[in-house]
Amino acid sequence: MITAIGAGIGKPKEDGNCRDEGRFDITKLRYGRIIIMTDADVDGSHIRTLLLTFFFRQMTELVRAGKIYIAQPPLYQIKRKKREEYVDDDVQLNKILISLGAEDVRLKNLADDKELTTAQLKDILESLEKLAKLSEAVRRHGGDFETYLAERNSRSGKLPTYLVKVRDGNEEAVHYFHDEKEVRQFHQDNLDLNLFDAELGQELLPLGEAPARANGSRRRGKLVELHESAAIQKLIAELARKGLKVGHYAASDRPIFELIEGDGEKAVSRPLFSIPEILQKILEIGRRGVQIKRFKGLGEMNAKELFETTMNPEKRKLLKVDLNDDNAVDADKMFTILMGDVVEPRRQFIEDNALNVRNLDV
């Protein structure tokens, strides 16, 4: 690969220094673009990460110059009757399935026995899809979305804007806070967690590692600001105006909505006990009669499919890798943690994030 690229390797060549022969020299680059094309599954992601690590560490100027691109092969092929199309990711797939499912159903709110129009249903589904994405973001931070909603202020309805994950051995607990004052108080009561970084001037902390407790174990804490809280608050208010109260997000003992398929004598009614069920059931209905093929590897495509979806210059999608002064420090930190020689930071990163995984491709 170094030979093919033709620009050398390592730190950039310094003019007039013969000892730098063989060092990276972007003027000798043989190609206008270097495109990384790997499988769409986890193995492909691993290979792509290894290649990006190599370019970042050994050919940094190549990345800074915007010469590195990532091919975007589709993850799915869907067929319905005579219709066939390629889908890039789960988000796009869900939009198609929601559109198909909403065409065949009606939704009735059992609180007032009113049936929603098709336009109203599609509007609600759009809001529910956005809420599902935001709820997944909260889960990635380590929180439980139903618990998060239950932590709303009883008077104002305001949602928490911070959470703190506390890891004690193999146990993990999550605490929610509505403002920084509450977080500061929790910090004062739990100084061993070192929630604030002294180098940033946020708090004066004792130097050195947090003291071990009587049983010899150490706790670790992670403070997360939930930037999604304002968007979630807005969506909840929108859904409430449409008759979907946030109190119905968690499963109820009695049906709250009714999903009706078909008309007349052939109509089939399905009771729904929570708000998320609306989106789930319509996705299930949308999948009926649809053949979904998931491409785990480029080798699963024939030559025509590979060209049309991934390699055709007129149709292909490329993701440009952008390295600049704004993200270089964070990129270096992440590559050091995940791909460096020191094991401990990587182990801690895995421990802190392992429980947040929702879709594991094995």
Side-chain angles (χ1 to χ4, degrees):
M1 188 168 62
I2 297 169
T3 302
I5 293 172
I9 187 174
K11 295 180 180 179
K13 180 181 182 296
E14 296 179 6
D15 293 335
N17 190 341
C18 61
R19 290 179 301 174
D20 287 330
E21 185 176 353
R23 293 287 189 174
F24 184 79
D25 184 356
I26 199 167
T27 63
K28 295 182 178 180
L29 185 65
R30 295 176 178 172
Y31 303 95
R33 291 175 178 173
I34 309 298
I35 301 174
I36 300 173
M37 188 169 74
T38 60
D39 293 350
D41 63 356
V42 170
D43 288 339
S45 297
H46 290 169
I47 295 170
R48 182 170 62 250
T49 302
L50 290 170
L51 289 170
L52 287 171
T53 303
F54 170 77
F55 288 128
F56 181 78
R57 292 301 187 200
Q58 303 299 332
M59 297 183 179
T60 311
E61 291 305 309
L62 189 66
V63 186
R64 283 189 177 276
K67 301 294 186 180
I68 304 296
Y69 292 80
I70 299 173
Q72 301 290 286
L75 189 58
Y76 298 101
Q77 178 195 60
I78 63 172
K79 294 181 180 181
R80 187 173 189 260
K81 297 179 180 178
K82 295 182 178 181
R83 175 182 172 184
E84 176 181 306
E85 62 184 294
Y86 295 95
V87 180
D88 293 338
D89 51 34
D90 290 301
V91 174
Q92 188 179 349
L93 177 65
N94 281 346
K95 286 184 178 180
I96 294 172
L97 295 178
I98 288 171
S99 177
L100 293 173
E103 293 174 358
D104 301 325
V105 300
R106 305 188 308 279
L107 182 68
K108 179 187 288 186
N109 190 332
L110 297 181
D112 53 16
D113 211 34
K114 288 185 178 180
E115 192 174 296
L116 279 69
T117 66
T118 302
Q120 289 174 326
L121 177 57
K122 288 185 176 181
D123 192 28
I124 285 174
L125 289 172
E126 184 178 343
S127 297
L128 289 179
E129 188 182 19
K130 292 177 182 177
L131 188 61
K133 293 177 187 176
L134 291 168
S135 69
E136 188 59 33
V138 173
R139 292 187 182 100
R140 284 199 301 270
H141 291 314
D144 176 78
F145 193 63
E146 290 184 13
T147 305
Y148 173 69
L149 293 178
E151 292 290 330
R152 287 180 306 141
N153 185 290
S154 57
R155 292 184 178 179
S156 66
K158 183 181 178 182
L159 290 166
T161 54
Y162 296 91
L163 71 77
V164 173
K165 285 198 304 181
V166 179
R167 191 173 186 85
D168 186 358
N170 292 325
E171 300 295 326
E172 188 174 84
V174 179
H175 306 267
Y176 298 94
F177 305 94
H178 289 86
D179 53 43
E180 189 176 344
K181 183 179 178 181
E182 293 181 3
V183 178
R184 295 279 175 178
Q185 183 59 54
F186 182 80
H187 164 66
Q188 291 297 330
D189 297 336
N190 299 271
L191 288 174
D192 64 303
L193 297 177
N194 284 1
L195 295 180
F196 296 93
D197 190 345
E199 292 181 0
L200 297 179
Q202 293 175 297
E203 195 71 47
L204 294 176
L205 297 175
L207 298 176
E209 293 189 7
R213 293 185 297 165
N215 61 4
S217 64
R218 297 180 188 275
R219 296 194 303 168
R220 292 202 306 274
K222 182 179 180 182
L223 172 62
V224 179
E225 183 175 359
L226 298 171
H227 299 286
E228 301 85 2
S229 61
I232 294 172
Q233 188 93 28
K234 183 179 178 180
L235 279 173
I236 287 174
E238 288 178 3
L239 289 170
R241 288 193 293 269
K242 298 167 185 175
L244 280 70
K245 299 178 180 179
V246 67
H248 295 154
Y249 192 88
S252 172
D253 294 334
R254 297 180 178 179
I256 305 170
F257 307 98
E258 189 175 65
L259 201 63
I260 305 167
E261 294 183 70
D263 298 305
E265 297 180 355
K266 295 183 178 180
V268 178
S269 298
R270 299 176 183 275
L272 303 179
F273 296 84
S274 68
I275 288 176
E277 272 192 277
I278 299 172
L279 185 61
Q280 293 167 7
K281 291 297 182 183
I282 288 179
L283 281 172
E284 289 179 12
I285 294 169
R287 287 179 178 272
R288 294 177 187 169
V290 178
Q291 296 178 337
I292 303 175
K293 180 180 179 181
R294 187 175 189 272
F295 295 115
K296 294 197 69 175
L298 299 174
E300 293 184 9
M301 300 182 187
N302 58 42
K304 181 180 178 181
E305 289 174 336
L306 184 60
F307 177 76
E308 288 298 322
T309 62
T310 313
M311 302 184 72
N312 187 346
E314 296 180 1
K315 296 182 179 180
R316 69 185 180 187
K317 296 178 182 179
L318 297 177
L319 185 65
K320 185 178 181 180
V321 179
D322 184 24
L323 180 65
N324 53 54
D325 293 338
D326 294 331
N327 60 26
V329 174
D330 289 337
D332 181 73
K333 180 180 178 182
M334 189 56 65
F335 276 115
T336 300
I337 291 174
L338 298 181
M339 310 299 288
D341 296 330
V342 183
V343 175
E344 178 59 26
R346 181 159 54 251
R347 183 182 68 81
Q348 182 171 329
F349 180 90
I350 293 171
E351 285 184 357
D352 290 343
N353 293 277
L355 297 179
N356 300 336
V357 176
R358 289 294 178 271
N359 298 303
L360 185 62
D361 188 353
V362 293

